[in-house]
Amino acid sequence: MNEIKLFCPASVANVSCGFDVLGFCLEPIGDEMIIRKTSKKGIHIIKIEGQKLPLETQKNVAGVAGLALLEDYPCDHGFEIEIYKGIKAGSGIGSSAASSAGAVFGINELMGKPLNRNELIKYAMKGEELASGSAHADNVSPVLKGGFTVVRCSKTPDVISLPSPSELHATIIHPKIELRTSDARAVLKKKINLEKAVEQWGNLAALVSGLCTNDYDLIGRSLVDVVIEPHRSALIPGFKELKKAAIDSGALGCGISGSGPSVFALSRGRETALRVQEEMNNTFKKFNIEYELHLSKINSKGIQIISSK
Ligand code: HSE
């Protein structure tokens, strides 16, 4: 195989109570990447469409993730990468994760698959580190593995796949303002109150249990974030109103997608998710900010190969 074309999906990280550990993969939104072997050693980003992002390998998340992989798995040839961005940088739905995960996934395939999807996580995290200053795995993991994932440990990545109840639908609203993850991390306190921590990990454990047992009510009761949302919600115009609209129209829960500004709601069934989408639309159109709305089932597959030759 000399060339591979990939679909690299968007993702929702944190999922309210799981800051830096929980995430799920989306279906309809994503980037496409073409990666091909070249005689010139190293990683060469030769084209980026859809976004203004650096072509220099060391400054590009796909570039640094790919280089990290090649450092451990040296190759006597190099790789050219073309990136067709469908996910806006700074949107909160895993733009850097899609590119980082896509690069290591594609290179690994072209090298004859020395690693499995789990083992690729630590290399994809290098791209996240470049993008935000923090090597978190909560976006790259669901992009690589599909579905919901929980990061038990990110130092030596230990990532567990969780079941996705089949009726779960996500509604995403993406206000078209850029919120850099590094800025959204800068507003967070380094220490948290013990009482809040107890509440947060109770919700996280219960959310995981709800996903494992198809308990939609429990999922709804657990989609609560008492640690991060109070600080970050101020950065997102209309957040309070969007959350109220989503919950009032039947969503199980609603929160900030990753570091924002996108907001996600989870609903049981497509009909409810459509109603939630309509109400989020009615609410946000008053804010005079351009936005996009998406409806998605949980993508259980993660990155997909479109073609190869
Ligand atoms: N867990 C990360 C954060 C996701 O919330 O900062 C953003 O990439």
Side-chain angles (χ1 to χ4, degrees):
M1 195 197 298
N2 283 311
E3 182 181 302
I4 191 163
K5 185 173 180 185
L6 305 171
F7 174 68
C8 310
S11 52
V12 171
N14 300 338
V15 201
S16 294
C17 48
F19 179 67
D20 273 3
V21 299
L22 201 59
F24 66 84
C25 190
L26 293 168
E27 240 164 27
I29 326 158
D31 299 343
E32 284 187 6
M33 286 176 94
I34 296 173
I35 305 178
R36 69 178 68 84
K37 288 181 186 169
T38 167
S39 55
K40 204 165 125 202
K41 281 192 168 193
I43 307 279
H44 314 282
I45 320 270
I46 58 164
K47 193 196 252 186
I48 302 176
E49 283 184 7
Q51 284 281 283
K52 252 191 125 179
L53 292 166
L55 286 165
E56 296 100 303
T57 307
Q58 297 284 1
K59 292 186 184 166
N60 184 291
V61 298
V64 297
L67 284 178
L69 178 59
L70 290 189
E71 214 173 287
D72 283 359
Y73 292 84
C75 216
D76 55 7
H77 55 80
F79 299 90
E80 277 179 3
I81 303 182
E82 297 177 18
I83 307 173
Y84 300 89
K85 293 296 295 177
I87 316 170
K88 274 216 158 25
S91 59
I93 47 172
S95 178
S96 51
S99 299
S100 313
V104 296
F105 180 89
I107 292 168
N108 185 56
E109 291 287 320
L110 294 173
M111 290 196 304
K113 262 189 172 169
L115 301 175
N116 63 34
R117 290 186 183 224
N118 252 322
E119 291 163 332
L120 290 172
I121 291 171
K122 76 169 184 181
Y123 300 105
M125 285 167 69
K126 292 286 177 195
E128 291 291 61
E129 192 171 13
L130 176 70
S132 71
S134 138
H136 46 271
D138 51 345
N139 281 109
V140 295
S141 300
V143 175
L144 281 164
K145 288 165 70 81
F148 275 87
T149 55
V150 65
V151 182
R152 189 201 62 80
C153 174
S154 62
K155 288 190 183 85
T156 311
D158 182 4
V159 177
I160 297 99
S161 289
L162 300 170
S164 309
S166 61
E167 293 174 67
L168 220 47
H169 285 70
T171 308
I172 310 287
I173 180 160
H174 168 211
K176 293 204 176 164
I177 49 169
E178 187 181 349
L179 179 52
R180 294 163 66 96
T181 299
S182 49
D183 294 337
R185 291 182 87 84
V187 302
L188 302 178
K189 294 212 158 50
K190 293 282 175 283
K191 291 188 176 158
I192 64 168
N193 172 288
L194 185 58
E195 218 173 288
K196 298 271 179 239
V198 171
E199 217 177 317
Q200 195 87 346
W201 59 54
N203 278 313
L204 179 57
L207 177 53
V208 169
S209 170
L211 292 171
C212 292
T213 57
N214 286 313
D215 187 336
Y216 293 91
D217 289 338
L218 181 58
I219 292 170
R221 293 203 300 284
S222 313
L223 285 168
V224 179
D225 175 4
V226 294
V227 173
I228 306 296
E229 192 179 289
H231 300 289
R232 282 184 171 169
S233 54
L235 306 174
I236 303 170
F239 177 77
K240 217 171 70 193
E241 292 84 348
L242 281 169
K243 186 165 177 167
K244 183 174 182 327
I247 303 290
D248 287 353
S249 48
L252 298 167
C254 175
I256 302 169
S257 174
S259 56
S262 288
V263 172
F264 79 96
L266 282 175
S267 302
R268 180 175 191 171
R270 186 176 157 81
E271 232 172 83
T272 309
L274 279 168
R275 203 164 55 234
V276 168
Q277 184 179 36
E278 200 184 320
E279 282 314 309
M280 284 176 127
N281 187 30
N282 289 337
T283 304
F284 205 70
K285 64 187 176 200
K286 297 163 195 147
F287 281 81
N288 280 329
I289 297 171
E290 255 189 83
Y291 60 97
E292 271 174 9
L293 276 156
H294 305 279
L295 193 78
S296 174
K297 287 202 77 177
I298 311 302
N299 173 350
S300 61
K301 297 195 175 100
I303 291 186
Q304 287 293 290
I305 298 173
I306 299 171
S307 61
S308 62
K309 54 186 180 192

